[in-house]
Amino acid sequence: MQSIRNIAIIAHVDHGKTTLVDAFLKQSGTMKQMEDSCIMDTNAQEKERGITIYAKNTAINYQGHIINIIDTPGHADFGSEVERVLRMVDSVLLVVDAYEGPMPQTKFVLKKSLELGIKPIVVMNKIDKPMARPDWVEDKLFDLFVELGATDEQLDFPVFYAIAKQGIGKKNLEDESDNIQPLLDAIMDLVPTAKDESDKSLKMQITNLGYDNHLGRLGIGRIYEGTVKKNQQVVIKNSDNESRNGKISRIYNSLGLGKVETEEGKCGDIVTIAGISDIFVGETVGEGDFEPFEEISVDPPTLTMEFLVNDSPLAGREGKYVTSRQIGERLEKELETNVGLQIDFSDKSKFVVSGRGELHLGVLIEDMRREGFELQVGSPQVIMKEQDGKKLEPIESLIVNVADDLAGTIIEKVAQRKGQMKDMHSQDGITTIKFEVPTRGLLGFRSEFVLLTKGEGIMYSSFSHFGEHKGQIDKRSVGSMISSENGEAMKFSIWKLQERGQIFVTPGTKIYEGMIVGEHYGGGDIVVNLTKNKQLTNVRASGSDDAMTLTPIQEMTLEDAISYIGPNEYVEVTPENIRLRKKYLKESERKRNK
């Protein structure tokens, strides 16, 4: 009989999870023709950003046995994707960079795995790096396992080595190898075979959802007991033991990137079922009377943002979906699959959306604008807690890698945002610094960090704990340039104003009263008129028009805009434009509502 092994690949962002899955798919013979790398990153935003956002499952057939592999995100904002899929697996491959070692997200995903009693298999990737230090990384990993309360059995973790990009795996560092087979053999030897309890009644838990234009909603989950058959009548229960009936119309197994239709799903396998149009994440599908599985719990959100109908003077010109009802329906649909998200629908004028971080919420907003939605979003606000009469706020663990000569500048900037340095060491001209910083202090810091390090520094952060409120944090020492007129931005006006600050709009851009068109270096907001053109006379001076050169315009991305705005400002998001604006467009209203 084919045995089944279920494994998740977990790691910090950019440590090589998805590249490792590529090597497994190719060398197992499951997918012989692979043009792209990171083939599991199928979503458009995943390809553009170069990160994994959604957990996805695949399967390979190795030596006549099935290995179900779940590729998980490495970014802390998508931790809820990791938390729910770990329930489906019997072991994890913990991938760690052979130079960087354990990072904030390594700690998060490892903690979740250890709590579930899973014994990880460590894969030290990128051992071909000139600065690789596998012994140091292994020591740091052992310290992390101890810190997270690993059992004696979990502390005895096996370590393998890899160069995922070249498809090479090794059992020992000095071994000669030109393929990934040592890692596949390790999975066969070390990952427990899924228990065969097919003699019991069906019981499976839904941990992910899919959608098909012909079949509707799909439920993806592991069969823990019994088998599931085509056209089978089933009972669906939620964690409150409320039940309803349904019928399974189709069953699919994964193989490579595709789905293979089958007549029945075996016990221990991860399958996709169709036919139940109202199925949700966490629900249990079974037969007769049974006890449902525990609800899938995820860490609570740390940030909240307001989503509103766009009411700017340029509203409704580009979007297909612009009404409050359409935005509300789209957010309700998102809740079905995005378990890390919470939404308050009680206020009809706005939706309060809570998520795990700026990137988590930014990906949702970007998805909506690509689908044709037009909306406004407020500045991210941190979710506070009350405990024993004290105000607590989320604190993040921040790790930065910068050139030695920039370390002092970064320490100073993080200190201004109420960050505390916890550790610092230097090697080969690179300084690694560990801080604890309030989430509030990190809002908008990423873009400033990129400028300070000229794009060469690396920063990672993840939620650590709730700590005492750190008081006022001043992040923006500059003010805004606010348009006083409706019309088009003129080159002459931009040229005249550029010495007073960074301009955000290019000549010819449609602007309106109350729109933020630039940054004022002098501090404090100023109202400007960008629609004025040069007065023409009948006397022309040779070359005077050519002298009107503009400094590069800073065009805001969605993430830049969300990080930049203050509490009294909105980002206007349309399918074609990102605009910044004041909540109150008229100057008289702004003064009245100060």
Side-chain angles (χ1 to χ4, degrees), residues 90-296:
D90 299 309
S91 186
V92 293
L93 286 188
L94 177 66
V95 182
V96 186
D97 185 296
Y99 165 69
E100 291 181 352
M103 298 295 276
Q105 185 69 357
T106 316
K107 182 176 180 179
F108 172 82
V109 292
L110 180 59
K111 179 172 179 275
K112 297 293 174 189
S113 305
L114 296 176
E115 284 171 356
L116 290 167
I118 292 169
K119 182 179 177 181
I121 299 166
V122 171
V123 177
M124 214 174 288
N125 191 25
K126 307 188 186 183
I127 54 169
D128 56 328
K129 273 188 173 181
M131 293 162 67
R133 41 184 180 176
D135 293 340
W136 179 87
V137 171
E138 193 169 336
D139 289 344
K140 288 290 179 188
L141 270 174
F142 187 82
D143 293 345
L144 181 60
F145 272 71
V146 172
E147 182 192 332
L148 296 176
T151 64
D152 289 347
E153 190 189 356
Q154 288 170 329
L155 279 172
D156 188 24
F157 54 85
V159 180
F160 290 81
Y161 304 91
I163 309 170
K165 219 165 194 174
Q166 296 175 28
I168 293 172
K170 301 179 180 186
K171 188 172 183 180
N172 302 299
L173 204 50
E174 60 279 2
D175 291 353
E176 289 295 321
S177 173
D178 61 358
N179 59 47
I180 208 75
Q181 197 168 332
L183 295 188
L184 290 169
D185 290 339
I187 292 171
M188 295 302 296
D189 295 340
L190 300 171
V191 177
T193 307
K195 281 184 192 167
D196 183 15
E197 300 199 40
S198 46
D199 53 330
K200 296 186 177 179
S201 297
L202 169 66
K203 200 173 174 186
M204 71 177 283
Q205 186 173 32
I206 303 301
T207 50
N208 212 344
L209 296 177
Y211 187 81
D212 183 278
N213 289 332
H214 303 294
L215 301 169
R217 193 182 298 189
L218 308 171
I220 303 162
R222 177 172 171 173
I223 305 168
Y224 289 93
E225 295 172 9
T227 55
V228 62
K229 295 184 174 65
K230 201 170 169 180
N231 298 322
Q232 185 175 357
Q233 296 290 338
V234 293
V235 177
I236 305 104
K237 286 189 179 184
N238 60 23
S239 54
D240 297 327
N241 218 5
E242 296 166 343
S243 64
R244 60 193 187 281
N245 296 325
K247 181 184 175 183
I248 291 168
S249 61
R250 302 275 177 90
I251 303 163
Y252 296 92
N253 276 325
S254 295
L255 189 66
L257 288 186
K259 299 261 184 270
V260 180
E261 189 172 351
T262 181
E263 291 297 309
E264 72 170 30
K266 294 193 193 95
C267 182
D269 210 350
I270 295 170
V271 296
T272 302
I273 58 171
I276 306 167
S277 60
D278 57 349
I279 199 153
F280 292 95
V281 167
E283 291 190 318
T284 308
V285 177
E287 290 176 294
D289 191 27
F290 56 88
E291 191 67 32
F293 288 106
E294 281 177 43
E295 191 177 359
I296 294 176

Side-chain angles (χ1 to χ4, degrees), residues 227-512:
T227 55
V228 62
K229 295 184 174 65
K230 201 170 169 180
N231 298 322
Q232 185 175 357
Q233 296 290 338
V234 293
V235 177
I236 305 104
K237 286 189 179 184
N238 60 23
S239 54
D240 297 327
N241 218 5
E242 296 166 343
S243 64
R244 60 193 187 281
N245 296 325
K247 181 184 175 183
I248 291 168
S249 61
R250 302 275 177 90
I251 303 163
Y252 296 92
N253 276 325
S254 295
L255 189 66
L257 288 186
K259 299 261 184 270
V260 180
E261 189 172 351
T262 181
E263 291 297 309
E264 72 170 30
K266 294 193 193 95
C267 182
D269 210 350
I270 295 170
V271 296
T272 302
I273 58 171
I276 306 167
S277 60
D278 57 349
I279 199 153
F280 292 95
V281 167
E283 291 190 318
T284 308
V285 177
E287 290 176 294
D289 191 27
F290 56 88
E291 191 67 32
F293 288 106
E294 281 177 43
E295 191 177 359
I296 294 176
S297 62
V298 296
D299 284 348
T302 55
L303 281 186
T304 185
M305 282 173 78
E306 292 179 350
F307 284 43
L308 310 92
V309 169
N310 185 13
D311 62 356
S312 87
L314 299 179
R317 299 188 185 187
E318 297 164 14
K320 197 169 22 166
Y321 310 109
V322 298
T323 67
S324 180
R325 179 184 61 80
Q326 288 167 329
I327 294 168
E329 285 174 357
R330 173 64 180 83
L331 291 174
E332 277 182 4
K333 186 176 171 222
E334 186 69 22
L335 274 182
E336 294 171 5
T337 54
N338 199 334
V339 292
L341 208 65
Q342 292 176 8
I343 302 174
D344 181 0
F345 293 96
S346 58
D347 187 339
K348 298 298 176 203
S349 64
K350 63 188 178 194
F351 305 102
V352 180
V353 182
S354 305
R356 297 281 279 260
E358 284 176 287
L359 186 59
H360 185 204
L361 295 170
V363 165
L364 168 60
I365 297 164
E366 182 63 31
D367 274 343
M368 289 177 71
R369 76 182 282 239
R370 290 179 185 204
E371 291 163 20
F373 282 86
E374 199 173 293
L375 68 155
Q376 287 175 166
V377 295
S379 64
Q381 303 296 317
V382 170
I383 298 170
M384 304 290 181
K385 257 185 175 181
E386 285 279 340
Q387 191 175 313
D388 302 326
K390 285 183 180 172
K391 192 177 182 183
L392 303 181
E393 66 175 325
I395 306 293
E396 305 216 6
S397 172
L398 169 70
I399 292 180
V400 300
N401 289 334
V402 293
D404 289 346
D405 59 337
L406 285 172
T409 308
I410 298 300
I411 291 167
E412 184 189 336
K413 291 293 180 186
V414 175
Q416 286 172 7
R417 292 166 175 260
K418 307 289 187 191
Q420 290 184 318
M421 189 170 72
K422 293 293 179 185
D423 187 28
M424 175 174 166
H425 58 266
S426 175
Q427 183 183 342
D428 301 320
I430 301 292
T431 300
T432 301
I433 318 167
K434 185 176 180 180
F435 299 94
E436 283 190 353
V437 196
T439 302
R440 285 183 303 137
L442 283 181
L443 295 178
F445 180 61
R446 194 171 295 275
S447 52
E448 187 181 345
F449 179 82
V450 169
L451 289 173
L452 288 170
T453 62
K454 297 183 174 64
E456 292 180 358
I458 298 171
M459 67 172 275
Y460 299 115
S461 65
S462 68
F463 172 75
S464 172
H465 63 280
F466 275 89
E468 275 197 49
H469 191 266
K470 305 288 182 191
Q472 177 74 25
I473 297 177
D474 296 317
K475 287 183 292 186
R476 214 165 91 191
S477 57
V478 293
S480 298
M481 290 188 195
I482 307 161
S483 172
S484 64
E485 303 291 331
N486 300 330
E488 281 188 13
M490 292 292 168
K491 184 177 181 181
F492 174 73
S493 296
I494 293 173
W495 176 69
K496 293 286 276 184
L497 280 167
Q498 64 188 8
E499 65 188 26
R500 302 186 66 178
Q502 176 69 57
I503 305 294
F504 297 156
V505 294
T506 52
T509 302
K510 286 186 166 54
I511 58 175
Y512 53 80

